[in-house]
Structure formats: structure tokens, C-alpha cells
Amino acid sequence: MNAPTAPRPLAQGATTIRVQTEDFDVGAEIAALRAGNAKIGAVATFIGVCRDLNDGSDVSEMELEHYPGMTEKALGGIAAEARDRWDLFDILVIHRVGRILPTEQIVLVVVTSAHRGESFHACEFLMDYLKTRAPFWKKERTPEGARWVDARASDDAAADRWR
Amino acid sequence: MNAPTAPRPLAQGATTIRVQTEDFDVGAEIAALRAGNAKIGAVATFIGVCRDLNDGSDVSEMELEHYPGMTEKALGGIAAEARDRWDLFDILVIHRVGRILPTEQIVLVVVTSAHRGESFHACEFLMDYLKTRAPFWKKERTPEGARWVDARASDDAAADRWR
Amino acid sequence: MLNVLYFARLRDALGRDAERIELPAGVADVGGLLDWLRQRGDVWAAELAPGRSVRAAVNQDMARPDTPLRDGDEVAFFPPVTGG
Amino acid sequence: MLNVLYFARLRDALGRDAERIELPAGVADVGGLLDWLRQRGDVWAAELAPGRSVRAAVNQDMARPDTPLRDGDEVAFFPPVTGG
């Protein structure tokens, strides 16, 4: 909408959203984000991992379902909200779908910025919103059979902190 | 001080503090922490990086000094405080000293826990306290000469949030 | 026509992942469509009952009961999300 | 004897990184030692002036002006820390 302007001096960085069945390499992803931007002073990262225990039952595997199209749109919207709130360079969100075993990685969020407060807050914000607004559903296989995981009131409370 | 007790069921995990001149491999450090603990559901990580610009001046290199002995003691105390506040598995703090160039890594903090809130909060707490209570001092080389970096009021304010 | 999608526990319980529905007479919004679906009875009445925490999206944006519906919309129903 | 250490900008300005000092008569705490050091004048008075944000540690724990000193203590003076 604006007239063309000169490139912003700090306009390095991009938002990347990936929904995939494959695992991801945290070290390689962080290195790729940081490459070539000597203005980055802070990298905040969160990795969500499949546990072998949930709500008191052993979990032998998990199946992650999503809503193709809407999931990517929701994650893009969450990332845009984070950029409105904080001065950031890069946002990377990778979320796996399909079959996932205990100790395997489920989700990765990486945020880079000049100073630490901004990447910390944005990373936590992204996870809190992702947990409550991005269409993913977990089904766990336990000795008692397969069960859909219930949403947690604590996740809604965490997301509400940012309102 | 206590009589011997049975192993705690969730007592996996350890605190590791390293002050070193060498760089570190984030992916390998995280993988080593996670190995063998299928109770971990959350991994929060912070990496502090040397920027090529600070307070408006170009930075060509940085020299990080510390107080051998007290630095390790202070970091261990900060980690113990984090364990008092949150239910955590692992705490890893690696802080480099000596000569560091722009885009090189300075500090790594990794915290693992069952649920994300605890590792997020502990990771940010550790960084805020490390910035204000661990004896490290930065000297920057700029076109105007070498200069000791001044402490920031914003870092004190960040640490005071946890009181 | 509406393209109506069902996900996760709802899809399992309702026995379908999608269907095409001619926008019913008198249905103007998401809440109206839910009422109409409940009138199918059985699992529809049970799974979509007001206490069951059903979430909806219209054209891939989160929606509320008063979100309007138009011919051609993609409407999705699903339980509260549990990713991450 | 006290083992007194200086770090960072203070070490550069004072021209030494450590010295051994016989606990001076009448000096009972960190504040007292700072007063005694300031009486050396010149850079000592300037760098350790009350407005200069000098921090202290005794036996590798952060200390305050009223932290007591005993023979054999390791006392360190330094500017506010800037790691991370």
C-alpha cells in the first residue's frame, strides 16, 4: 500500500513455516537462519518432544493429524502477530504430522533478534498460540488403546496471557 | 544431610556448567541432554551471539574476561535457584571466554522439562541472572579503539522481574 | 453448496471426513449449520451437542457461531486443537 | 593477609590484577577496605569513588559494603558484569 521506499537497514530475516512428516535437524536449521546476518545477537529455540507418558498412561506412539491449508495459514498468522509485537529477524516453525514415537521431535520454533528479550518472548508467544490456535490433533496409542488427546485448560490460560 | 532414600522416579537430568574458550555445537549438546530420557517433553534453548554492531559502533572483535572459580560458582548457584523454582530435568550452561568474533556464539543455555512452561521460564531466568550476577566482562574492539562494555539498566530490570 | 470437513475425534465419531451440503433454507451462520446438523440425530446430536466443545473454521479461519455462511464456503468442525 | 583481585576496567585503570594486603587496622568490612584503598589517591580515589559502580565479592560470593572481612579472605573488585 505504501510508496516504494529504500530497503530497511534491518530488514534481514524471513518467516518460514513447514508442516512435514520428516524429522528435522535443530543444529542445521539454526545455522541456516543465522548464516550471513551479523546483526543477530539472540537465538531463542523451543523443541517439543514426544514423551512416553501422558496423563498417567504409557504412550507407545502418537499420530498427529492436521488441516492442510488452514494449518499453514494459522501458523503464518501467528508469526505475523509476533512480528507486530516484537522487533525480530527470523521466525522458523516446523511442525511434524503423522506417526511419531516417544523421544522423537514434534515441533521446532526458532526466533532470532538483536536482543534476547524479544526472541524469548516471541518464541514463547508462538508456542502458546500454536498450542491453542493451529489445527493439529494428537492421538496416542497406550496399553488401554488409542485415544485422542484432550485440550488442556492450562494451554488456554497460557495463550490468554498475551491478550 | 538426609538419610539415604530410594531413587526419585523423575530424578533424571543434571546441571552442567562449562566456561571455555572453544566454540560449542548446539545440536550435539541438545542431543546429548535428551539421550535416554523419554520423560522430556520440552527443550528450551538460548544462544547469545556476538553482533558486529553495538551502541552504534562497528565491532570487529570482542574479548570476554571472567573470574575463574567465582564464575563457575555463580553459574552453579543460578542453576540451583532455577531448580528450586521449577521442575526441571537438565540444565546446561556453556559460556565462552577469550577472543570472539562477530557471528560467533558466546553463550548457550539449554533447559529440559516435562512441560514447556517450566523450561521456557527457567531458560529466561538463567539468562537474566547470568547477565547480572555471573562475573563476565566484555571488551569490544571498534574503529574508535577498544572499550569495556557498560552494564545495561535493562538487564538489571530483567533480572528484577524474578524477585 | 458448502464443503463441510470433519477432523480428529469428530471425524471418527461421525464416520466421515467431508461432505457437500446444499446451504439449508434458514441457515445463515455457523451456529445455524450446527443446529441443522444436530437434527440428524444419533451421533450427530451427541457429538455436536452444545456442551461438547466443537470448534469451527470457515474458509480456513477460526469461526464463531455468528460467523456468516455463503454458498461455496469451506466449513470445518473439529475438537479443540492439541498440537505442539 | 587479604588476597585482593581486580578485574576488567578496574584492573586496566589500577594497573594491577592482584595484590596481597595486610588487613588494615580498623577495617572490618568491604566498605572499610574500599575507603582504605581510596586513601591511596590518584586513580584509586577516582576509580573507586562512590559514584563509580564498583562491585565486590568476598571468597567468590557477591558482597556488599557491610560484608565482614577476615584474615585470609579473597576479596575482588570489579565493574558491573556484562556477560551473556
Side-chain angles (χ1 to χ4, degrees), chain B:
Chain B
M1 296 299 182
N2 296 319
T5 56
R8 288 182 296 163
L10 292 180
Q12 298 183 58
T15 294
T16 308
I17 308 285
R18 302 212 304 264
V19 179
Q20 62 188 44
T21 55
E22 303 77 36
D23 195 13
F24 46 81
D25 179 333
V26 175
E29 297 292 348
I30 293 173
L33 286 190
R34 292 182 45 210
N37 185 351
K39 305 285 175 267
I40 293 174
V43 182
T45 301
F46 181 82
I47 308 162
V49 178
C50 181
R51 299 185 302 144
D52 68 0
L53 186 82
N54 192 29
D55 290 336
S57 288
D58 294 327
V59 174
S60 58
E61 67 174 64
M62 178 178 281
E63 181 79 23
L64 256 152
E65 178 177 338
H66 78 303
Y67 180 172
M70 178 172 170
T71 302
E72 293 81 354
K73 187 177 180 182
L75 292 174
I78 293 165
E81 278 194 46
R83 287 192 179 279
D84 285 344
R85 288 171 178 247
W86 296 284
D87 194 12
L88 308 174
F89 292 121
D90 308 280
I91 295 176
L92 170 66
V93 179
I94 303 178
H95 203 299
R96 291 178 64 198
V97 292
R99 185 162 168 264
I100 296 179
L101 301 176
T103 77
E104 288 188 357
Q105 303 176 126
I106 301 171
V107 61
L108 173 68
V109 175
V110 187
V111 181
T112 65
S113 60
H115 302 289
R116 77 183 182 290
E118 295 175 314
S119 54
F120 260 128
H121 296 158
C123 190
E124 191 169 9
F125 170 88
L126 287 164
M127 276 306 304
D128 285 348
Y129 268 62
L130 183 158
K131 280 266 185 184
T132 52
R133 284 177 32 185
F136 292 102
W137 300 273
K138 283 175 179 162
K139 191 179 209 170
E140 293 172 341
R141 190 167 305 280
T142 75
E144 296 85 44
R147 63 179 185 192
W148 289 100
V149 175
D150 282 325
R152 290 175 185 276
S154 61
D155 286 331
D156 286 330
D160 282 343
R161 289 182 303 153
W162 303 99
R163 288 179 183 277

Side-chain angles (χ1 to χ4, degrees), chain A residues 34 39 45 52 103 116 128, chain B residues 34 39 52 103 128 155:
Chain A
R34 291 182 46 209
K39 305 284 176 267
T45 300
D52 67 0
T103 77
R116 77 183 183 288
D128 285 348
Chain B
R34 292 182 45 210
K39 305 285 175 267
D52 68 0
T103 77
D128 285 348
D155 286 331

Side-chain angles (χ1 to χ4, degrees), chain D residues 60-71:
Chain D
Q60 306 191 352
D61 282 321
M62 292 299 287
R64 307 192 318 168
D66 62 358
T67 301
L69 292 180
R70 289 180 194 81
D71 190 50

Side-chain angles (χ1 to χ4, degrees), chain A residues 29-115:
Chain A
E29 296 294 347
I30 293 173
L33 285 190
R34 291 182 46 209
N37 185 350
K39 305 284 176 267
I40 292 174
V43 183
T45 300
F46 181 82
I47 308 162
V49 178
C50 181
R51 298 185 303 143
D52 67 0
L53 185 83
N54 192 30
D55 289 337
S57 290
D58 294 327
V59 174
S60 59
E61 67 175 64
M62 177 176 283
E63 181 79 22
L64 255 152
E65 179 176 337
H66 79 303
Y67 180 171
M70 180 172 167
T71 303
E72 294 80 354
K73 188 177 178 180
L75 293 174
I78 293 164
E81 278 193 43
R83 286 192 180 278
D84 285 344
R85 288 172 179 246
W86 296 284
D87 193 13
L88 309 174
F89 291 120
D90 308 280
I91 295 176
L92 170 67
V93 179
I94 303 178
H95 203 300
R96 292 178 63 197
V97 291
R99 185 162 168 267
I100 296 178
L101 301 175
T103 77
E104 288 189 357
Q105 303 177 126
I106 301 170
V107 62
L108 173 68
V109 175
V110 187
V111 181
T112 64
S113 59
H115 302 289

